[in-house]
């Protein structure tokens, strides 16, 4: 349920008081240095801003003469667009010292020289080094790496698996089945898809036009869009074509999946007219924010007995224009340290990057199978893949939206779509 304003304010006051404790535990000194930090964050809710406020209050204890300008709620709904906009901002001379970024933009910005590697800074900070190498899963940390170097301090991460409406499942008499097949999924989706009054249909599944919605389906069929080293397209693999044909049929043959749209917001439909959608804790939190809490997590249905998922991480990056790198790193640490990770776990707005917080009682209490999120990444037998994020990801995403839209509309076949994507991606690889 959406938190009453009084509870939100109480949390903010709690975090503000906690800021002093953060500073006391993190600060080895108090510096009188005068400087300015400009920070871009995508957090916009009261709860998320409260986390940053706590870190900021702690930072003021360490650097009382510092001016920290925080640009809250930067529009990152389309990460490819956000990364491209950042290039324009830097070209125009705008100063940003720290910026929030997810895996989709790390290679792109690192390749353009917008963000800098942090390995030397991390090695010189025992607190950060210990957290990153002892309490963050290697695959999650890899989300913020490019060309063997670390470009971000992990904040959170999110797995994309299946989020389902427990009320609709119970109403239809459908039992929880984490080992379901494509055929079993289709039968479930058919049971849950119903015509309603005034054209308000209840859908079994909803998908957007965003490529990341489809990657878990590929992973659960033993394939993906690219290889792990991002130097080979997998769009021409039979398993890739097979996966998209199955999803095409869900939409256009069986009618159990709503027509994918780029701007489609499934969260609002999820409350009463959607049984399943792609998501992780961030989507569950969004659903809870509009007053819906009857949700849980399921694995992606598999065609070959493979447990698959795709995931991405986010964190804070230091830009090449930052003139106070050590001071910037200290703030990045306060934004991501163990205390903040536990507060993130309590809020449930995303998966904390640390294993200890992700398996804490407060985080697991958000849903009966909340543990699935980190479980799949840590499972050596699962096909858990990082969202493919080559330096040309923005162009790859645009190509996918174009060809997939044509396929869904019947203008080209699914096989033609996949082979066209293969040619485009191979050309992009050769160019870069």
């Amino acid at each position: 349920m959406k938190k009453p304003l009084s509870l939100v304010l109480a949390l903010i006051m709690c975090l503000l008081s906690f800021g002093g404790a953060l500073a006391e535990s993190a600060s080895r000194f108090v510096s009188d240095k005068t400087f300015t930090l400009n920070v871009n964050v995508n957090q916009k809710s009261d709860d998320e801003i409260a986390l940053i406020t706590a870190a900021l209050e702690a930072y003021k204890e360490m650097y009382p003469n510092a001016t920290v300008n925080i640009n809250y709620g930067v529009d990152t709904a389309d990460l490819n667009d956000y990364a491209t906009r950042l290039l324009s901002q830097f070209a125009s001379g705008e100063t940003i010292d720290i910026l929030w970024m997810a895996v989709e933009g790390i290679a792109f910005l690192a390749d353009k020289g917008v963000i800098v590697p942090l390995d030397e800074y991390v090695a010189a900070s025992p607190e950060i080094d210990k957290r990153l190498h002892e309490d963050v899963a290697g695959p999650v940390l890899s989300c913020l790496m490019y060309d063997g170097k670390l470009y971000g301090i992990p904040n959170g991460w999110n797995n994309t698996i299946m989020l389902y409406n427990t009320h609709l499942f119970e109403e239809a008499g459908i039992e929880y089945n984490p080992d379901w097949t494509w055929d079993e999924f289709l039968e479930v989706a058919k049971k849950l898809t119903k015509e309603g009054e005034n054209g308000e249909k209840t859908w079994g599944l909803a998908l957007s036009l965003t490529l990341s919605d489809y990657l878990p389906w590929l992973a659960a069929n033993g394939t993906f869009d690219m290889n792990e080293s991002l130097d080979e397209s997998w769009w021409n693999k039979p398993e890739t074509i097979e996966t998209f044909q199955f999803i095409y049929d869900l939409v256009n043959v069986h009618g159990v999946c709503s027509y994918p749209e780029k701007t489609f917001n499934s969260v609002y439909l999820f409350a009463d007219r959607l049984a399943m959608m792609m998501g992780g804790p961030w989507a569950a939190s969004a659903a809870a924010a509009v007053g819906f809490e009857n949700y849980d997590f399921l694995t992606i249905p598999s065609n070959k007995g493979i447990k698959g998922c795709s995931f991405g991480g986010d964190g804070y990056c230091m830009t090449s224009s930052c003139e106070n790198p050590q001071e910037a790193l200290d703030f990045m640490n306060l934004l991501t340290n163990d205390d903040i990770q536990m507060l993130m776990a309590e809020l449930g707005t995303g998966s904390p990057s640390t294993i200890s917080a992700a398996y804490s009682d407060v985080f697991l209490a958000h849903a009966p199978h909340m543990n699935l999120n980190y479980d799949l990444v840590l499972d050596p037998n699962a096909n858990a893949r990082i969202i493919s994020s080559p330096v040309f990801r923005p162009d790859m995403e645009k190509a996918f939206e174009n060809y997939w839209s044509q396929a869904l509309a019947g203008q080209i076949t699914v096989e033609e779509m996949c082979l066209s994507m293969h040619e485009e991606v191979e050309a992009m690889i050769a160019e870069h």
Side-chain angles (χ1 to χ4, degrees), residues 374-397:
Y374 229 124
D375 281 359
L376 287 169
V377 171
L378 294 176
D379 184 352
N381 297 315
N383 187 23
R385 291 289 304 273
I386 297 174
I387 294 171
S388 300
S389 301
V391 296
F392 50 81
R393 181 180 169 87
D395 293 331
M396 184 171 70
E397 184 78 40

Side-chain angles (χ1 to χ4, degrees), residues 2 38 42 84 112 135 138 145 155 157 178 189 191 256 263 268 282 295 306 324 339 369 396 398 401:
K2 190 173 182 179
N38 295 308
N42 76 327
T84 304
K112 301 294 184 183
D135 201 17
M145 299 185 72
N155 177 49
W157 74 284
K191 287 182 181 179
V256 298
T263 58
Y268 292 94
W282 88 93
Y295 60 80
I306 300 169
N324 299 281
D339 296 311
H369 294 90
M396 184 171 70
K398 290 175 184 176
E401 291 176 7

Side-chain angles (χ1 to χ4, degrees), residues 148-167:
K149 297 179 181 178
L150 181 69
Y151 280 84
I153 304 299
N155 177 49
W157 74 284
N158 274 298
N159 199 350
T160 300
I161 50 178
M162 189 72 74
L163 197 65
Y164 75 98
N165 184 316
T166 56
H167 175 72

Side-chain angles (χ1 to χ4, degrees), residues 73-371:
V74 175
D75 182 10
T76 59
D78 185 329
L79 284 165
N80 303 296
D81 176 65
Y82 171 52
T84 304
R85 279 187 282 118
L86 283 170
L87 285 185
S88 299
Q89 289 176 271
F90 273 81
S92 67
E94 184 174 340
T95 301
I96 303 173
D97 299 289
I98 299 171
L99 58 86
W100 177 95
M101 180 49 71
V103 60
E104 289 91 334
I106 294 295
F108 179 74
L109 294 179
D111 185 66
K112 301 294 184 183
V114 174
I115 55 178
V116 299
L118 302 173
D119 303 83
E120 291 185 9
Y121 298 110
V122 170
S125 171
E127 180 183 351
I128 301 177
D129 189 66
K130 179 179 174 65
R131 180 169 74 250
L132 267 53
H133 295 104
E134 294 184 12
D135 201 17
V136 176
V140 172
L141 191 63
S142 294
C143 292
L144 299 173
M145 299 185 72
Y146 171 64
D147 199 21
K149 297 179 181 178
L150 181 69
Y151 280 84
I153 304 299
N155 177 49
W157 74 284
N158 274 298
N159 199 350
T160 300
I161 50 178
M162 189 72 74
L163 197 65
Y164 75 98
N165 184 316
T166 56
H167 175 72
L168 292 179
F169 266 57
E170 291 168 3
E171 194 175 61
I174 299 169
E175 296 184 1
Y176 185 85
N177 179 13
D179 300 313
W180 54 351
T181 64
W182 280 5
D183 289 340
E184 290 169 332
F185 167 82
L186 179 57
E187 290 307 308
V188 166
K190 285 179 178 179
K191 287 182 181 179
L192 293 165
T193 302
K194 300 176 182 178
E195 297 292 341
E197 296 180 1
N198 302 317
E200 293 189 341
K201 185 174 183 177
T202 297
W203 294 98
L205 176 68
L207 294 167
S208 73
L209 271 180
T210 305
L211 178 56
S212 58
D213 264 14
Y214 302 87
L215 296 179
W217 291 86
L218 293 172
N221 198 30
T223 185
F224 216 55
D225 61 336
M226 299 182 72
N227 65 350
E228 293 195 50
S229 56
L230 305 180
D231 57 8
E232 179 185 328
S233 165
W234 282 9
W235 282 96
N236 64 340
K237 285 185 173 291
E239 295 84 358
T240 301
I241 299 171
E242 179 185 38
T243 303
F244 277 99
Q245 186 63 58
F246 176 73
I247 296 172
Y248 173 91
D249 290 347
L250 293 178
V251 177
N252 287 319
V253 177
H254 305 295
V256 298
C257 178
S258 63
Y259 198 86
E261 300 175 28
K262 183 173 176 61
T263 58
F264 180 67
N265 188 339
S266 56
V267 167
Y268 292 94
L269 198 62
F270 190 51
D272 59 357
R273 291 196 297 112
L274 176 61
M276 294 172 282
M277 68 178 186
M278 309 306 296
W282 88 93
S285 175
V290 296
F292 181 73
E293 291 187 330
N294 296 318
Y295 60 80
D296 196 9
F297 295 95
L298 261 171
T299 53
I300 303 297
S302 174
N303 187 40
K304 295 179 173 62
I306 300 169
K307 289 191 182 298
C309 68
S310 67
F311 64 96
D314 67 77
Y316 293 98
C317 306
M318 188 186 303
T319 71
S320 54
S321 63
C322 180
E323 297 180 352
N324 299 281
Q326 183 56 55
E327 290 75 15
L329 187 76
D330 287 340
F331 190 45
M332 292 159 71
N333 181 38
L334 288 171
L335 287 167
T336 60
N337 68 11
D338 290 340
D339 296 311
I340 292 296
Q341 293 293 312
M342 284 303 299
L343 289 169
M344 285 176 58
E346 187 171 352
L347 293 175
T349 52
S351 293
S353 61
T354 60
I355 295 172
S356 56
Y359 283 100
S360 64
D361 291 342
V362 291
F363 186 67
L364 297 181
H366 290 292
H369 294 90
M370 199 76 167
N371 60 292

